[in-house]
Amino acid sequence: MCFTMKSNKASLYRGINLKVGEFLVNRLIPASTLGSVGAIVFLDHIYPVDLRHDSSSFPTGNYAHPHRGIVTFSYVLSGSLSHYDSRGNHNIIGAGGLQWMKAGNGIIHDEKPFIMENDEPIFHSLQFWVNLPGEAKKEEPEYMALQAVDVPEAQLPDHGGTIRILLGEFGLWASPIPTFNHEFIYHLSLNPHSSFSFSPRKDDEVAVFVTASEVDVNGIVLGNSKMLLMEEGIKEIVFQNDKINAADILIFGGKPYNEPIVAEGPFVMSSYADIATAYRDFFAGAYGSINLSWVR
């Protein structure tokens, strides 16, 4: 599937509801008219769900699945999330933490949302996929996790809130997570009755996603799990929060991805022949398997 996203005006995306495992999600990317924002080819918003009944970090294995050709990027807004994969990586992150997995030439992973003893009972998260350049799709898988305290965070002027640099660079701050196509993901927490002006880099493709509370984005009211794809060449994005609660805003994108994109199931490759190879290698057992015994 190939898409063109260039536009002379901002475009609103509401997403579609899907059931992923046991969870209801809103899938914003891909959409019928949008395949990517920069190298970001996938965005699922996992709606808030009460998991106070579930304190186990161990997956059942029923939802373990493969990936190839992409990076998976999970960001937890509340609750906790465990990770297991076929390369022996395992970690647990809490609210404000993130997990980055470069699938490269093939890996199987499983993620388990749950609630720790001191967590608030609601699990709420986002998952992005970042498309790798063709050569990086051949590389060995890698995994990295950051807890909330490890994520760079800057204070906004005039007590306006904070901006967390989940991926990429922002001014003097940079996430330790690797990037491949100048991709970036920022979490803006905008205080009540506050504003913030953001100037994208020249030629970047940029989208804005608001999880719940509504904010004004260049004169457009955005919120409640909706995404705004900004117009090509935009020089300034002004966020205005006139509510009495802080607003959570995700700003993401990067340089245009100029290689062929062919996506099918959990694989994103450069051709249908590459997709066929990805499936063939998976069914041949080339991605390994998850062994939970060593962490129990």
Side-chain angles (χ1 to χ4, degrees):
M1 296 180 289
C2 294
F3 302 82
T4 300
M5 64 141 280
K6 294 181 179 179
S7 173
N8 292 323
K9 61 180 182 178
S11 301
L12 180 67
Y13 290 85
R14 298 175 179 273
I16 57 171
N17 278 353
L18 295 170
K19 199 75 182 292
V20 176
E22 300 175 351
F23 299 92
L24 185 65
V25 309
N26 185 20
R27 182 156 298 168
L28 284 303
I29 306 173
S32 59
T33 59
L34 178 65
S36 64
V37 181
I40 295 172
V41 294
F42 182 95
L43 171 57
D44 267 5
H45 177 205
I46 296 85
Y47 291 125
V49 58
D50 191 328
L51 285 185
R52 73 185 72 202
H53 63 283
D54 192 349
S55 61
S56 172
S57 65
F58 294 104
T60 62
N62 294 334
Y63 302 114
H65 56 279
H67 285 296
R68 186 165 176 165
I70 58 169
V71 162
T72 64
F73 186 95
S74 298
Y75 181 50
V76 176
L77 296 166
S78 65
S80 297
L81 183 69
S82 64
H83 168 96
Y84 304 82
D85 67 45
S86 57
R87 297 299 179 110
N89 297 304
H90 162 61
N91 215 320
I92 293 173
I93 58 170
L98 58 89
Q99 296 187 130
W100 175 93
M101 185 185 75
K102 185 182 79 174
N105 60 18
I107 194 170
I108 297 171
H109 80 141
D110 204 349
E111 291 183 313
K112 173 68 164 57
F114 70 103
I115 298 299
M116 285 187 175
E117 183 178 348
N118 295 322
D119 284 348
E120 62 176 285
I122 302 300
F123 179 79
H124 186 197
S125 73
L126 302 167
Q127 185 173 90
F128 297 84
W129 292 1
V130 180
N131 197 8
L132 290 168
E135 286 302 309
K137 294 177 186 289
K138 304 173 185 177
E139 295 175 355
E140 292 297 306
E142 297 179 42
Y143 170 78
M144 183 183 297
L146 295 183
Q147 300 295 343
V149 295
D150 301 319
V151 177
E153 181 175 294
Q155 298 294 317
L156 301 183
D158 303 318
H159 307 289
T162 60
I163 185 165
R164 310 186 79 224
I165 299 84
L166 311 182
L167 188 64
E169 300 177 351
F170 179 81
L172 301 176
W173 296 269
S175 169
I177 299 292
T179 59
F180 298 87
N181 197 53
H182 301 286
E183 62 267 23
F184 65 89
I185 304 174
Y186 308 140
H187 176 190
L188 175 65
S189 179
L190 193 58
N191 282 339
H193 294 284
S194 297
S195 63
F196 174 67
S197 177
F198 172 70
S199 298
R201 293 174 304 206
K202 183 180 179 182
D203 300 326
D204 271 2
E205 297 174 347
V206 184
V208 175
F209 173 74
V210 180
T211 60
S213 180
E214 293 181 335
V215 296
D216 184 291
V217 183
N218 281 10
I220 299 172
V221 177
L222 185 69
N224 298 315
S225 196
K226 296 183 182 69
M227 183 183 78
L228 193 64
L229 179 66
M230 307 310 298
E231 59 266 33
E232 181 183 10
I234 189 167
K235 291 181 170 55
E236 184 181 43
I237 307 173
V238 179
F239 301 93
Q240 178 71 43
N241 179 15
D242 289 327
K243 306 294 184 180
I244 62 171
N245 296 312
D248 290 308
I249 304 160
L250 278 294
I251 312 168
F252 63 92
K255 297 300 181 186
Y257 188 91
N258 293 320
E259 299 182 43
I261 301 175
V262 181
E264 187 170 318
F267 306 126
V268 182
M269 305 301 293
S270 303
S271 69
Y272 285 105
D274 291 341
I275 291 288
T277 299
Y279 275 106
R280 184 171 63 247
D281 289 349
F282 168 62
F283 289 119
Y287 302 168
S289 59
I290 298 174
N291 182 358
L292 296 179
S293 62
W294 66 277
V295 293
R296 285 187 181 275

